Amino acid sequence: MRFLIFADLHQFDTSLVDKIDAQFDAMFFLGDINAVAIRHILNAFPDKPAYGLLGNHDNEGLFESVNNYLKIEREILGTNLAFPIKDINLEKIVFGDLSFCGLEGCVKYHKNSIGYTQKEALTLKIPKANILFSHETGSGFPCCENDIIHIGYKAVTRYVKRQCPNYHIFGHHHQNIAFKIKNTQCYCVFGCSVFDTDTGTMWKIF
């Protein structure tokens, strides 16, 4: 199974979508991607299910706005266009023989930012799944920094070490790196990449 993954498309050139020629089964949006970019990508691949998480720069109603726009678009054009995007924050989804769940935002740094304080995040019930998708990674993991915005969730660190998902895939840090925590293979995605669940490999498209 292959997943098309997007993260942190802050300045997005829609022509980049033309570079995507890989076969995939579902799309994942890992935050900090505006509504116009999401709609463009969904309509480029209307037959693929889409799942998303909010990033710290996103607005609370982002996915509802996107889905409402797509609904109106379908009604006007009288056709079945893109699938609506499903928010997977703290939700477990079974997809084929895999399960995945998600965690939005980063460590909360002001009252309107998307995410949780470290204390709040540690009280969350993140479902056990094969793959953890998140915007932010775990505290103390490679690529984390000392500033509060990029310091990482202690809750993700605890989850990965206790639940041992096969994979942890996240964005936020604007780099493409891979590392391993115990038995969990971790990937940071920046831009667009394809992930092959059968081989555990990730490759960048743009």
Side-chain angles (χ1 to χ4, degrees), residues 153-200:
Y153 278 127
K154 293 178 181 178
V156 169
T157 303
R158 184 177 68 180
Y159 180 91
V160 169
K161 290 183 176 180
R162 290 184 181 180
Q163 301 294 348
C164 297
N166 296 334
Y167 303 103
H168 166 43
I169 302 173
F170 61 97
H172 188 49
H173 291 270
H174 291 207
Q175 53 186 303
N176 292 276
I177 64 169
F179 56 90
K180 203 160 189 178
I181 302 294
K182 295 184 70 174
N183 294 321
T184 300
Q185 181 62 52
C186 305
Y187 291 101
C188 182
V189 174
F190 177 40
C192 173
S193 294
V194 174
F195 177 62
D196 189 316
T197 64
D198 295 327
T199 62

Side-chain angles (χ1 to χ4, degrees), residues 76-131:
I76 292 173
L77 297 178
T79 185
N80 292 322
L81 295 177
F83 276 85
I85 185 169
K86 179 171 178 56
D87 190 338
I88 60 170
N89 184 49
L90 303 178
E91 294 286 337
K92 180 177 179 177
I93 306 292
V94 176
F95 192 91
D97 58 354
L98 290 173
S99 60
F100 56 84
C101 64
L103 181 65
E104 69 184 10
C106 69
V107 178
K108 203 168 188 69
Y109 52 93
H110 64 70
K111 65 178 183 178
N112 294 322
S113 64
I114 298 294
Y116 307 91
T117 66
Q118 296 284 24
K119 184 176 180 179
E120 288 170 341
L122 287 168
T123 67
L124 299 174
K125 294 182 179 179
I126 307 172
K128 182 176 176 60
N130 301 125
I131 304 174

Side-chain angles (χ1 to χ4, degrees), residues 12 28 31 60 67 87 129 140 182 187:
F12 182 59
F28 291 82
E60 191 70 46
N67 289 337
D87 190 338
K182 295 184 70 174
Y187 291 101

Side-chain angles (χ1 to χ4, degrees), residues 3 6 16 29 36 57 62 105 116 121 132-133 139 179-180 194:
F3 296 151
F6 300 91
L16 289 172
F29 296 82
V36 173
H57 290 294
L62 174 64
Y116 307 91
L132 171 64
F133 287 103
S139 175
F179 56 90
K180 203 160 189 178
V194 174

Side-chain angles (χ1 to χ4, degrees), residues 2-9 12 16 19-30 33 41 45 133 169-171 175-177 187-196 201-206:
R2 289 181 176 180
F3 296 151
L4 184 64
I5 303 172
F6 300 91
D8 302 276
L9 302 181
F12 182 59
L16 289 172
K19 292 186 175 183
I20 303 171
D21 60 1
Q23 297 296 312
F24 62 93
D25 300 288
M27 294 181 283
F28 291 82
F29 296 82
L30 304 188
I33 306 172
I41 294 167
F45 305 102
F133 287 103
I169 302 173
F170 61 97
Q175 53 186 303
N176 292 276
I177 64 169
Y187 291 101
C188 182
V189 174
F190 177 40
C192 173
S193 294
V194 174
F195 177 62
D196 189 316
T201 54
M202 181 87 70
W203 65 93
K204 185 176 177 65
I205 296 179
F206 61 77

